[in-house]
């Protein structure tokens, strides 16, 4: 068994090295700062603290309470709101907490379709199905790559869902929340925003401000454009104390037992870092996404959202049917050291044959890349997918490009190795 442990350490070292040499373009991934990582492997990992600060079911939680109160305070400052709950352990769990709190089985809940970029939480095989709520789909404007306001108003007035979820996993442009808010009010529906992808952009003042555009509650994961640990979050301006209590009960005991205290402590660090560095990071992340989109478009790639400047977020969607389809292109990019994912795009007929790839700039921005590097990345795409250059050659060029960008930015301890393997023991077991 000792050998297996040695093998595992080696595999994870190789994984870190692979990412150090790659161009990581997964829109939902990011890198943790050294101070956040340190708390992630602290003794908090070994503890239980069910309940809220000061109202625990376990003893020994005095310091956990201090950490949680700091984390809550930072969350409220970052999102300029009165309510926060940092106990959901992931974005999907945060969504389940909202559904538990604000919907009953059988209720109608507004959302977008998967092919229009929605997260699997909205699917019958995801969180919606777990809670037993029925989706009401918004109409979609394929050219503008966002909700079609006029047609969606009609749908909402006709069907009258109780709750309306706004949020996407291919999130190119802000949702038309302010335009839809009067309709939500007229039918008595509550506005809920899943900010997982754009959390760091919202906190950095870059995308939209859902809590001031008609949404009462915002759920999220905390490791995408907000470069925190894998965890979940609820923030908002609940309309009354009853809603606060329901949301808190949704988080615990509704959908969590213990809330991963080590991740919560790391999240507090990430919030503090985002308060200090988030504005610049968010701005540069979006600038890079636009630069990459333009550079790919100039090289003949079909980047969606052209009329509106391709993207206003960290994400771009590229239709790659001419290049072999989403699955094939994602695989070939990976062989060439460029990590992305296949994705369904509007108009795709089968989930098994996604027509596109989704690209994101959170991680390449985090290690300090800028517009010049975005052009270089587009050249690598062109070389591989249009000029027929062998993947092995492109992989070497990708590694050369990445070699200059392996230190973290936009955090305390900037410059620390971004892909460091933390060898705490110093030797393999014998
Ligand atoms: N699966 C994540 C994404 O890549 O968008 C969201 O949970």
């Amino acid at each position: 068994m000792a050998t297996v442990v040695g093998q595992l350490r080696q595999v994870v070292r190789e994984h870190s090295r692979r990412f150090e040499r790659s161009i990581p373009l997964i829109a939902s991934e990011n890198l943790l700062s050294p101070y956040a990582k340190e708390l992630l492997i602290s003794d908090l990992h070994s503890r239980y603290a069910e309940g809220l600060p000061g109202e625990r079911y376990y003893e020994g939680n005095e310091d956990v309470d201090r950490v949680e109160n700091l984390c809550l305070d930072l969350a409220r400052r970052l999102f300029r709101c009165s309510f926060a709950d940092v106990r959901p352990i992931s974005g999907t769990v945060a969504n389940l907490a909202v559904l538990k709190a604000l919907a009953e089985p059988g209720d109608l809940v507004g959302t977008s379709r998967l092919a229009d970029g929605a997260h699997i939480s909205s699917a019958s095989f995801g969180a919606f199905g777990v809670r037993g709520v029925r989706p009401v789909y918004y109409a979609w404007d394929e050219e503008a790559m966002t909700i079609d306001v006029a047609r969606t108003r009609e749908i909402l007035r006709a069907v009258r869902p109780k709750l309306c979820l706004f949020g996407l996993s291919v999130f190119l442009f802000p949702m038309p929340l302010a335009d839809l808010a009067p309709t939500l009010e007229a039918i008595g529906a509550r506005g809920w925003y899943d900010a997982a992808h754009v959390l760091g952009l919202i906190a950095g003042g870059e995308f939209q401000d859902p809590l001031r555009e008609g949404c009462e509650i915002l759920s999220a994961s905390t490791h995408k454009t907000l470069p925190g640990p894998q965890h979940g979050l609820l923030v908002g301006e609940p309309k009354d104390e009853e809603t606060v209590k329901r949301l808190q009960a949704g988080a615990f005991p509704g959908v969590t037992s213990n809330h991963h205290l080590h991740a919560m402590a790391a999240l507090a660090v990430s919030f503090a870092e985002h308060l200090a560095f988030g504005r610049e990071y968010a701005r540069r992340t979006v600038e890079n996404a636009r630069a990459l989109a333009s550079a790919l478009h100039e090289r003949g790639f079909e980047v969606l959202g052209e009329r509106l400047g391709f993207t206003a977020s960290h994400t771009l969607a590229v239709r790659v049917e001419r290049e072999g389809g989403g699955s094939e292109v994602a695989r070939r990019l990976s062989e060439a050291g460029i990590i992305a994912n296949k994705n369904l795009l509007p108009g795709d007929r089968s989930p098994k044959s996604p027509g596109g790839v989704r690209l994101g700039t959170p991680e390449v921005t985090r290690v300090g890349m800028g517009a010049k590097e975005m052009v270089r990345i587009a050249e690598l795409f062109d070389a591989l997918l249009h000029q027929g250059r062998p993947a092995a050659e492109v992989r070497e060029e990708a590694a050369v490009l990445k070699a200059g960008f392996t230190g973290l930015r936009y955090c305390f301890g900037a410059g620390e190795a971004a892909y460091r393997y933390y060898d705490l023991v110093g030797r393999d077991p014998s």
Side-chain angles (χ1 to χ4, degrees):
M1 282 304 137
T3 319
V4 175
V5 174
Q7 282 172 359
L8 285 164
R9 299 179 93 216
Q10 187 52 27
V11 171
V12 177
R13 270 193 214 101
E14 283 167 18
H15 167 88
S16 304
R17 179 76 182 131
R18 179 196 302 272
F19 270 78
E20 190 176 48
R21 289 172 53 82
S22 300
I23 307 294
L25 295 175
I26 302 276
S28 50
E29 293 181 351
N30 213 322
L31 296 160
L32 206 51
S33 81
Y35 291 102
K37 266 192 183 170
E38 181 184 69
L39 298 192
L40 201 60
I41 51 174
S42 67
D43 179 77
L44 292 175
H45 172 268
S46 308
R47 307 299 157 202
Y48 263 98
E50 291 171 352
L52 285 164
E55 303 166 18
R56 302 293 191 191
Y57 292 83
Y58 295 80
E59 297 305 320
N61 285 158
E62 292 82 354
D63 301 315
V64 176
D65 283 2
R66 290 163 68 195
V67 169
E68 187 157 336
N69 280 327
L70 280 170
C71 192
L72 288 167
D73 185 45
L74 289 163
R76 288 186 293 252
R77 278 172 58 192
L78 197 52
F79 295 96
R80 299 185 295 125
C81 62
S82 62
F83 171 76
D85 196 314
V86 291
R87 294 175 299 171
I89 56 169
S90 76
T92 294
V93 169
N95 288 344
L96 281 167
V98 175
L99 287 167
K100 177 91 170 59
L102 304 184
E104 300 294 331
D107 279 349
L108 294 168
V109 180
T111 189
S112 301
R113 291 177 196 280
L114 293 199
D116 297 335
H119 184 243
I120 51 171
S121 286
S122 306
S124 59
F125 52 81
F128 270 40
V130 171
R131 187 57 173 145
V133 298
R134 296 175 293 150
V136 173
Y137 293 117
Y138 308 136
W140 190 254
D141 179 336
E142 279 191 28
E143 205 189 333
M145 284 301 283
T146 192
I147 290 172
D148 179 317
V149 173
R151 285 193 293 139
T152 298
R153 279 187 185 134
E154 283 172 26
I155 294 167
L156 294 178
R157 279 197 215 103
V159 186
R160 303 178 80 87
K162 180 177 185 180
L163 184 62
C164 285
L165 168 60
F166 300 97
L168 298 168
S169 289
V170 185
F171 216 156
L172 305 185
F173 299 106
M175 290 283 186
L177 299 176
D179 292 337
L180 290 171
T183 310
L184 264 60
E185 200 176 332
I187 63 169
R190 308 177 93 147
W192 161 28
Y193 193 94
D194 179 348
H197 265 269
V198 290
L199 190 70
L201 305 184
I202 288 171
E206 268 301 315
F207 193 62
Q208 65 184 139
D209 194 355
L211 296 179
R212 274 147 287 272
E213 294 170 27
C215 284
E216 186 179 351
I217 185 76
L218 184 154
S219 59
S221 56
T222 54
H223 46 267
K224 297 181 169 80
T225 50
L226 189 296
Q230 297 229 355
H231 201 70
L233 173 72
L234 298 175
V235 289
E237 289 295 351
K239 68 174 184 188
D240 51 31
E241 196 52 29
E242 161 74 11
T243 307
V244 170
K245 295 273 177 252
R246 291 181 73 91
L247 288 165
Q248 287 176 330
F252 170 84
V255 294
T256 60
S257 162
N258 200 29
H259 51 287
H260 298 188
L261 313 176
H262 53 307
M264 176 181 71
L267 181 59
V269 171
S270 304
F271 285 159
E273 291 179 331
H274 215 71
L275 279 163
F277 309 103
R279 285 198 168 262
E280 192 189 349
Y281 174 63
R283 180 173 56 76
R284 288 188 187 261
T285 300
V286 177
E287 279 173 8
N288 277 346
R290 289 203 177 114
L292 181 57
S294 298
L296 287 168
H297 175 72
E298 282 163 19
R299 284 160 185 78
F301 287 94
E302 188 183 343
V303 186
L304 302 197
E306 181 184 352
R307 189 168 61 78
L308 298 169
F310 303 112
T311 184
S313 77
H314 61 303
T315 300
L316 43 149
V318 188
R319 197 177 291 285
V320 287
E321 269 144 18
R322 288 188 306 238
E323 286 81 8
S327 305
E328 170 70 4
V329 165
R331 187 189 60 73
R332 287 179 64 198
L333 285 170
S334 176
E335 275 175 12
I338 299 170
I339 315 292
N341 64 277
K342 61 190 169 197
N343 221 100
L344 283 179
L345 295 181
D348 280 355
R349 292 216 177 78
S350 162
K352 292 194 182 135
S353 320
V357 287
R358 182 186 67 168
L359 310 176
T361 52
E363 186 165 340
V364 288
T365 305
R366 183 89 158 132
V367 293
M369 288 191 184
K372 195 159 69 104
E373 288 74 34
M374 297 306 110
V375 171
R376 184 70 192 117
I377 292 172
E379 286 171 357
L380 297 177
F381 270 69
D382 192 39
L384 180 78
L385 298 169
H386 290 163
Q387 296 170 21
R389 291 265 309 283
E393 275 181 36
V394 177
R395 188 168 65 236
E396 280 314 305
E397 290 180 24
V400 168
L401 171 62
K402 188 66 180 305
F405 298 93
T406 58
L408 285 161
R409 299 281 180 274
Y410 311 105
C411 59
F412 300 119
E416 286 279 328
Y419 301 90
R420 179 176 155 200
Y421 175 88
Y422 281 73
D423 186 346
L424 298 181
V425 185
R427 59 182 151 59
D428 285 350
S430 52

